[in-house]
Structure formats: C-alpha cells, structure tokens
Amino acid sequence: MHPATKLIHSIPIDPLTGAISVPIYQTSTFIQEAPGINKGFDYARSNNPTRAALEQIMAELENGSDGVAFGSGLAAIDAVIRLLKSGDEIIAVDDIYGGAYRLFEKVYKKFGIHVTYVDATDVANISGAITPHTRLIWLESPTNPTLKIADIEAISAIARENGCLLCVDNTFASPALQKPLLLGADLVVHSATKYLGGHSDLIAGLVVTKNKELGEQIRFFQNATGGILAPFDSWLLIRGIETLHLRMRQHCASALRIANFLQQHPAVDKVFYPGLPSHPNHQVACRQSSGFGGIVSFSLKTDSEEAAHQLIGHTRLFRLAESLGGIKSLLSHPATMTHKSIPAEQRRSAGVSDSLIRLSVGLEETDDLLADLAEALEKQEKVKIRTEFSFN
Ligand SMILES: *Cc1c(COP(=O)(O)O)cnc(C)c1O
C-alpha cells in the first residue's frame, strides 16, 4: 500500500460515535471509577485522546514505536537533550537551526553538556569529532538555508559503533519524503509548525522514537516538564497531516521547476536545491529521500544586501516572512533575518552570502510563481542598471 493511503486510513474512527474526524477532547481531567481505575486517561497533561491519536499517527508515519507531541519544535528538541547528563557531548551539524543552537549554547552548556559543530556532508568529520563522552549525534538534512545533505545511513553506522544516539531533525524533508528511522536513526524530531501542519496556523513539535524504551523516556519528560500540545492544536495538526503527501508532491514539483529556472537566469549566481544534479550531495539525496522538498535558496550576481532587498520588494506572490512549509509562498533574507546574529565572515563562509534568498515554495500554480520571480528579477536588474548609471 502506498504511504499516503496507509496514512489516511491510520487516522482512527471514533469508536464511541463513528465520527470520521478525531474528536477534540477539550478536558483537563477524567472521572475515575475507583482510585487508579480509569479508561486509560487520568489527567490531560499526562495523556489526552486527541493528542494520543496524533502521536499514534506520527509514530506510524515515521515507522517508529512512539510519537510524542509538544507545544513547539523547540520543546521537542529540548526533550531529546534531556536524555543526556552533565559531561555528555553532542556532535551537531554546523548549519543547525538557530533556535537549537541557542538552546545548546545558552541553556544546556551551563548544565555541562557540550556541543561540537561539524560539516556533516563529510562523514569523516563526524567520526573525527567522536570522543569517549559523545552520546548524541544531531543532524538536519536538508539544512537551512543552504540545503546541505548528510548521509543519514552512513552516520547512523558511526553512531552505533560508538554507542551513541542519532537524532535527525526531519522538518525540511517531512516523513512524506524521508524516513530517518528506516535509515538507522534512533530519534526523529519535527517542527510540525512547518510541513506537517502545512497551513501556517499553528506551532507544534514532535519526537518519534525507534523503540519503546526511548519512547517511554521522552514521554516521561513530556509529562514531567509539561510542554504538551493542546487538544485543539493536536486536531489541527492531524488535519494538516492528512494532506501531507499530496502537498509535498506539489511543493517538490514546483520547487524543482523554480530551481531550474533560477539556475539559467543571468542575474542569479548560485542555486541551492538538492534536486539539481549540480548539487554536491545530489546522489545521497536521491538515495535517502523520495523527493527534494519545497525550499530553494539562491544568491545574486550582485552579491549585496541591497540587491536582495530590492528583489524582495518586487515579488508579489512570494511574501516576506520567517517560517516555511505553508500553502502560501514565502521568502526570507537570512543575512538580515534568521542569520543576522552570526558574524558576517562566519556567515559567509557557511555559504550564507549577503544576497542569499530562501524561498519556501507554496502551493500556488507553478507558472504564476515563475512569472513572479521572473518579473522581480527583471525589475531588480533595471534598478541595478539605473543605480550603476547614476554613479558613473
Ligand atoms: C522551525 C524549526 C525548528 C523550531 O520549531 P518551532 O516549532 O518554531 O519551535 C526546529 N528545526 C527546524 C529545522 C525548523 O525549521
């Protein structure tokens, strides 16, 4: 059975009423027949039927044993780090999501958890960074915003050999395109705010574990620290996940056409998209994922913040905002937005040049998106020629 069919039929029918949509159990507590005798639910921080349905759907979707839903992607990441103790070390991908970097450096460092950042596109960098204290390898693939790809299977072998866990932040690919647990990872995290939700209408996070033992530990932290996802948001997220495969197919198709268009445009310098044969990790991407996602980044021949800002000012369908993965196309300028706090030299050497623009390709008709970019690039070129002329 195709995963999309399996997913749609993994969404439970309400056994009480036959309701085809999972009911929203908006309750804080559950009446007990006698102390300790209940219907599997006692207090809604510990467990809630709507959240439980979501968690089960996600476990199946990622081919894991347990799904655990949190109030945000960062709360999900935080729960995984709680598996560690003082003195443990993490090896993390160097272009890690900024919020995860902040959590590692500004929160967990002072509890004695240290992180080494490496370019994970070369597996040797991971093995070279292992120490006797390494307990966790942290990957994102594709990364943000330069869409680097790490070989999850090869890195999972290194994790196993060295007795450490591998966690993959699968936000950019989504389980419709990539299943890290099948490639050997122990844990998957998601900012469900992005593609899983898919409609830019909620903040949510998920952890899916390979086995029950890890699942129980993550669930313990969920209950002990309380960062749960509310019943309504759990329902909304199920509703988003129902169309995940369909949406991802269209995101991928449009993104590939846009990447190809940008690559042959005279005003564009570099295009970052794992689906392009020219992408340095294209072969790995083909092997481990069934599609290349909806994010495309590119830089301009005129590599300046002004040029990028001019272009952004000229698009009409691609709207300026942080975040990604929704139905509306968005763009962002990492150098002055998400990556502003990184020193310019460090930022540039990580591939985030001054003019780099990240597109989150939405679900509008592809031709309209191409026309929007073509027009904006043309206008930006005209502005450039005008300003060059006036300076002469
Ligand atoms: C957005 C994002 C997060 C954080 O998720 P929130 O839901 O905003 O807390 C983590 N990882 C990646 C890759 C993201 O894009």
Side-chain angles (χ1 to χ4, degrees), residues 72-74 77 97 140 169 171-172 191 193-194 203-204:
S72 71
L74 276 172
I77 293 171
Y97 175 71
E140 280 174 39
D169 183 334
T171 300
F172 269 42
S191 169
T193 311
K194 318 290 167 56
I203 300 280

Side-chain angles (χ1 to χ4, degrees), residues 72-383:
S72 71
L74 276 172
I77 293 171
D78 176 74
V80 174
I81 306 311
R82 285 171 195 270
L83 293 166
L84 307 186
K85 59 179 193 318
S86 177
D88 288 348
E89 292 174 8
I90 303 171
I91 298 171
V93 55
D94 57 1
D95 42 2
I96 190 168
Y97 175 71
Y101 178 80
R102 181 178 55 201
L103 182 66
F104 292 172
E105 295 303 314
K106 298 277 162 73
V107 179
Y108 280 106
K109 197 172 195 161
K110 67 169 186 263
F111 293 113
I113 292 171
H114 289 275
V115 187
T116 310
Y117 300 91
V118 302
D119 177 353
T121 56
D122 186 350
V123 178
N125 291 339
I126 303 267
S127 23
I130 300 256
T131 78
H133 302 291
T134 309
R135 286 286 169 274
L136 178 66
I137 298 173
W138 191 276
L139 293 182
E140 280 174 39
S141 187
T143 62
N144 177 33
T146 55
L147 301 149
K148 287 193 209 160
I149 302 287
D151 186 336
I152 297 171
E153 201 164 16
I155 294 170
S156 81
I158 296 172
R160 261 195 313 282
E161 277 162 28
N162 292 279
C164 46
L165 296 168
L166 171 62
C167 181
V168 178
D169 183 334
N170 204 26
T171 300
F172 269 42
S174 95
L177 305 180
Q178 175 173 281
K179 305 208 188 227
L181 298 180
L182 293 182
L183 297 164
D186 301 284
L187 302 122
V188 169
V189 299
H190 278 283
S191 169
T193 311
K194 318 290 167 56
Y195 286 109
L196 289 173
H199 295 73
S200 311
D201 53 10
L202 85 158
I203 300 280
L206 283 148
V207 180
V208 182
T209 63
K210 176 182 74 175
N211 59 39
K212 285 274 162 214
E213 194 192 335
L214 281 169
E216 269 162 29
Q217 292 179 67
I218 298 293
R219 204 172 289 287
F220 175 83
F221 298 135
Q222 180 195 39
N223 186 46
T225 64
I228 52 161
L229 192 64
F232 178 72
D233 286 358
S234 297
W235 177 84
L236 203 51
L237 186 48
I238 293 172
R239 189 178 159 90
I241 291 171
E242 286 171 344
T243 55
L244 177 70
H245 291 82
L246 187 59
R247 286 186 285 108
M248 289 315 292
R249 202 185 299 164
Q250 185 60 36
H251 284 303
C252 290
S254 287
L256 183 61
R257 274 188 67 197
I258 286 171
N260 277 315
F261 161 78
L262 290 170
Q263 204 172 34
Q264 51 74 42
H265 197 284
V268 171
D269 184 23
K270 290 198 186 75
V271 181
F272 302 83
Y273 188 64
L276 294 174
S278 57
H279 185 286
N281 317 116
H282 177 64
Q283 290 309 325
V284 181
C286 288
R287 205 165 60 231
Q288 72 185 14
S289 57
S290 62
F292 307 106
I295 308 297
V296 180
S297 295
F298 65 100
S299 59
L300 299 170
K301 290 253 168 70
T302 314
D303 189 27
S304 68
E305 287 179 4
E306 299 74 49
H309 284 187
Q310 280 159 11
L311 181 74
I312 287 164
H314 292 312
T315 58
R316 282 185 295 186
L317 297 177
F318 283 92
R319 307 295 299 274
L320 183 67
E322 312 241 337
S323 201
L324 55 107
I327 58 166
K328 280 192 181 133
S329 289
L330 299 177
L331 49 67
S332 72
H333 182 236
T336 52
M337 292 168 72
T338 46
H339 290 59
K340 198 179 173 170
S341 58
I342 301 172
E345 271 322 302
Q346 195 184 328
R347 170 170 58 69
R348 288 186 195 121
S349 72
V352 183
S353 58
D354 294 357
S355 69
L356 190 86
I357 288 170
R358 185 192 75 186
L359 304 177
S360 171
V361 177
L363 298 181
E364 302 90 339
E365 189 61 45
T366 319
D367 288 339
D368 293 331
L369 295 176
L370 286 167
D372 191 38
L373 288 172
E375 196 179 323
L377 281 162
E378 194 185 322
K379 282 187 181 155
Q380 186 259 327
E381 276 290 280
K382 280 196 189 129
V383 173

